[in-house]
Amino acid sequence: GEDVEQSLFLSVREGDSSVINCTYTDSSSTYLYWYKQEPGAGLQLLTYIFSNMDMKQDQRLTVLLNKKDKHLSLRIADTQTGDSAIYFCAERAGNNRKLIWGLGTSLAVNP
Amino acid sequence: DAGVIQSPRHEVTEMGQEVTLRCKPISGHDYLFWYRQTMMRGLELLIYFNNNVPIDDSGMPEDRFSAKMPNASFSTLKIQPSEPRDSAVYFCASSKQGFGSTEAFFGQGTRLTVV
């Protein structure tokens, strides 16, 4: 079945770049998403990429998609303490509204 | 718009009691999703609606769980009877119909504790 995998924890120093990785299994994925969850809050969409793109940049965020390897990454440049949160990778296949979610990567930013 | 509104934010109940979680989606959104989040299983889709009609309830754990959407601005998730293993954060999300990325907007969640 469909599956999305992420590493569970990442720790970086303030000012460094963070790279959060995700792998997925469904080759028919159309959209891939990165959501952010801060403590005690719901999930918020950070960015997304359409499956015919390799890269998308949005200010400090860079998303890379390797469709051949089914690998997605999120790079956060100049990571700040406010970036500490759980980051979820999710995929959507076709016009299906159902998203398949990873377990989330908990990012800790140390001063 | 105030976003997706869920109530209550926290619920503590005794095993065997009925629990009702409520959700008001964003006005104009056609899709409504109920998720459950636990440390062990992550984020699980329980059920989703399109235009108030349940489309996929394959994620509903068992018959103790039921969800309704009587109109476009209100949905409930009911657990009867509740069990300690139902303790989790329950999220409601909504999105608009249409092509494109169709971002899902999440509520703040209801933290349910069954003792």
Side-chain angles (χ1 to χ4, degrees), chain B residues 2-109:
Chain B
V4 175
I5 300 172
Q6 291 185 247
S7 64
R9 287 295 310 275
H10 302 273
E11 176 81 41
V12 180
T13 191
E14 288 186 347
M15 186 172 75
Q17 296 297 305
E18 178 181 294
V19 174
T20 300
L21 311 181
R22 296 172 175 80
C23 175
K24 181 179 187 308
I26 292 173
S27 176
H29 281 194
D30 309 276
Y31 285 85
L32 184 138
F33 307 83
W34 280 103
Y35 286 93
R36 177 171 69 176
Q37 185 179 35
T38 60
M39 290 290 291
M40 292 298 293
R41 300 168 71 98
L43 200 63
E44 301 172 277
L45 177 65
L46 300 177
I47 184 170
Y48 77 93
F49 296 82
N50 177 215
N51 291 324
N52 314 338
V53 176
I55 302 301
D56 183 349
D57 65 355
S58 58
M60 295 287 260
E62 44 199 278
D63 291 346
R64 297 185 297 106
F65 285 68
S66 62
K68 291 183 180 176
M69 192 163 186
N71 58 61
S73 58
F74 184 65
S75 176
T76 59
L77 177 68
K78 188 178 290 188
I79 309 172
Q80 164 65 10
S82 57
E83 296 182 5
R85 61 193 166 117
D86 302 330
S87 298
V89 181
Y90 290 81
F91 286 105
C92 176
S94 69
S95 70
K96 266 179 102 159
Q97 186 145 344
F99 299 105
S101 69
T102 57
E103 173 186 357
F105 292 81
F106 281 75
Q108 296 278 68

